[in-house]
Amino acid sequence: MDEDMHGAVEALLDEVGTETEPRPEFDATNLRGQVAVVSGGSSGIGRAIALELAHCGCHVAFCFLDAGSQARLDAQEVARKLRELEVRVYFRHCDVRDSRDVKRFVEEVDRELGGVHILINNAGIGRDGALWRLEDHEWEAVVRTNLDGAFFFTRSVAPIMRAQEHGKIVNVTSVHGVRSEFGISNYASSKAGLIGFTRSAAVELGPRNVNVNAVAPGYIRTTRLTDGVPSEILDRAREQAVLGRLGDPQDVAGVVVFLCSESARHITGAVIPVDGGYLL
Ligand code: NDP
């Protein structure tokens, strides 16, 4: 064996010898002390994710749109619940469509909470209507919130995560990014775009040990969903899910926390349906 080949074999043996053993069980203990950013953390799924991460010991920053006084009260209530879990909390209004404010928000979190290790791109809206009746502003509001917002946040945290060679990003897309229905061309396009973005970001950030994944919830029982969607549609959604029920925000939060944990260290670029079998 010549010297070059000998060196290469030694290096390979060293690498194999020092490889860490994968942990056999779901283990979220490594999350303690990490800083997580959740966009749209004041209600529904984002709220459940923020609380679940805090239960695992993460310090949590979240933003919300603040479309009215109720939204502000919701945000304050989430912050109060997070503090009860004895983690540090940072929250304020920040419109994910405003790239400069998103950058400022991330800088503030980095300074106030001491880093950014986890990003959950959760903020999202729908403005449904037949495509031939959709107004420009209804298209733009949805695509800018659901897709541009995730890009702005990911671009802002990328230098931090790349420098520390560690990070977890989870994008909240939807079953409707995979299978559409009538009247949601703006929403379906934004969520399908978010799936493409998840894969691209996984390719670009993976070499610096940053995992980027997505969850694709089916119909999830949030107050706004159950208040806003006609009961016939919810009944049909229940029938189409092979498990015969709608999901709860907690169902999504559990999968998100798993993706942020060391148990999921070898998963990246994946889109995990949390839909009771809706897409089958
Ligand atoms: P909610 O309406 O309950 O919560 C949305 C959150 O996003 C709120 O905190 C809201 O803030 C925030 N938000 C909205 N627009 C902006 C913005 N421009 N800038 C900052 N924050 C914003 O929604 P859900 O919990 O139901 O949905 C969360 C995510 O899950 C969304 O991406 C949605 O598309 C996705 N999803 C939901 C499903 C469901 O059945 N519920 C199914 C599949 C996917 P504020 O309260 O101030 O408005």
Side-chain angles (χ1 to χ4, degrees):
M1 200 185 307
D2 69 22
E3 227 163 78
D4 278 357
M5 177 72 89
H6 187 71
V9 170
E10 291 275 292
L12 192 61
L13 287 174
D14 266 4
E15 206 176 287
V16 172
T18 56
E19 207 168 35
T20 51
E21 285 286 312
R23 293 167 203 248
E25 290 165 7
F26 174 44
D27 180 1
T29 49
N30 73 299
L31 293 177
R32 186 156 296 282
Q34 295 202 16
V35 175
V37 175
V38 183
S39 72
S42 64
S43 87
I45 295 171
R47 174 183 185 278
I49 293 170
L51 287 167
E52 195 62 29
L53 286 166
H55 271 291
C56 296
C58 287
H59 306 299
V60 177
F62 70 91
C63 72
F64 58 107
L65 181 60
D66 195 2
S69 56
Q70 187 54 47
R72 219 164 312 136
L73 290 176
D74 289 348
Q76 282 162 0
E77 178 60 13
V78 173
R80 192 185 64 75
K81 284 195 173 301
L82 289 169
R83 289 196 182 105
E84 274 176 13
L85 297 168
E86 296 181 355
V87 297
R88 296 203 297 275
V89 180
Y90 183 79
F91 74 110
R92 73 162 170 84
H93 155 266
C94 167
D95 187 338
V96 300
R97 296 168 294 184
D98 179 344
S99 67
R100 274 187 294 189
D101 202 27
V102 167
K103 188 163 180 289
R104 263 195 306 273
F105 184 82
V106 169
E107 286 163 358
E108 288 161 14
V109 174
D110 194 12
R111 207 171 45 239
E112 299 289 323
L113 299 186
V116 178
H117 308 99
I118 293 168
L119 167 66
I120 314 298
N121 284 311
N122 163 79
I125 57 166
R127 297 281 181 274
D128 300 354
L131 72 90
W132 56 90
R133 282 198 212 103
L134 272 189
E135 304 274 355
D136 292 0
H137 69 89
E138 291 169 319
W139 175 272
E140 273 169 24
V142 171
V143 175
R144 283 191 63 76
T145 304
N146 299 2
L147 183 56
D148 297 18
F151 163 62
F152 295 150
F153 258 109
T154 305
R155 183 174 63 180
S156 297
V157 304
I160 302 170
M161 291 185 175
R162 290 184 81 238
Q164 69 202 10
E165 301 212 350
H166 169 73
K168 307 279 184 188
I169 300 175
V170 182
N171 297 324
V172 181
T173 172
S174 165
V175 288
H176 293 129
V178 180
R179 193 169 82 195
S180 199
E181 288 183 18
F182 188 92
I184 57 167
S185 59
N186 47 0
Y187 186 79
S189 303
S190 70
K191 294 298 189 180
L194 190 53
I195 290 173
F197 180 67
T198 301
R199 295 193 175 123
S200 293
V203 167
E204 294 189 24
L205 296 172
R208 292 291 183 95
N209 196 32
V210 178
N211 304 56
V212 188
N213 290 293
V215 288
Y219 285 90
I220 300 295
R221 211 170 8 213
T222 58
T223 329
R224 288 185 202 177
L225 178 89
T226 40
D227 287 352
V229 176
S231 60
E232 317 83 75
I233 294 188
L234 295 182
D235 288 344
R236 192 154 47 88
R238 230 176 255 113
E239 279 163 25
Q240 284 179 351
V242 297
L243 295 179
R245 58 170 180 252
L246 304 179
D248 287 317
Q250 199 55 35
D251 294 320
V252 183
V255 179
V256 169
V257 168
F258 165 70
L259 288 171
C260 294
S261 76
E262 271 311 285
S263 298
R265 67 178 196 154
H266 212 47
I267 302 177
T268 198
V271 181
I272 303 191
V274 187
D275 65 347
Y278 179 89
L279 284 177
L280 293 175

